Amino acid sequence: MQPGAGHSATPLRWRRVFPGHEQELRNARYWLAGLLPDYPARADVLTVATELAANAVRHSASGWDGYFAVEVSWLARPATIRIAVADGGGPASPAALAALSTLDRAP
């Protein structure tokens, strides 16, 4: 079923996992392009999704022989699309920067 074919209030969802390699960015874009109907913001959605996937590969453990996942949610009425990209995380736990903690002490 193509997105937008139904008028249900329940969103349609697709999810796919890709190997964390640069060449997989093209595959993720083609997969997503096959799901999205032709509408004015389609090119923008494809660009944003590809950038999010590229960030996952370049700046997380996904790019170190890991994986990234792309999830698409489509709601026909009102026309809404949600793109989510999950990555493999970083090499360590998140930590607050010392410079940011000084903002709390500003007058």
Side-chain angles (χ1 to χ4, degrees):
M1 176 188 280
Q2 286 294 315
H7 297 285
S8 171
T10 303
L12 302 173
R13 285 195 173 93
W14 297 267
R15 186 173 196 268
R16 184 167 168 191
V17 177
F18 297 88
H21 305 290
E22 291 272 339
Q23 60 268 26
E24 290 297 324
L25 298 174
R26 177 177 291 166
N27 293 335
R29 185 179 180 95
Y30 287 150
W31 172 74
L32 183 58
L35 295 175
L36 298 176
D38 190 19
Y39 64 99
R42 184 175 190 261
D44 292 337
V45 171
L46 290 170
T47 298
V48 169
T50 303
E51 286 297 316
L52 291 172
N55 286 343
V57 170
R58 294 178 187 138
H59 304 295
S60 79
S62 294
W64 307 323
D65 289 327
Y67 298 88
F68 66 93
V70 180
E71 182 176 285
V72 182
S73 300
W74 175 270
L75 183 63
R77 301 269 190 251
T80 305
I81 189 161
R82 178 182 163 269
I83 304 291
V85 175
D87 63 37
S93 298
L97 298 174
L100 293 179
S101 65
T102 60
L103 294 176
D104 294 334
R105 290 184 251 141

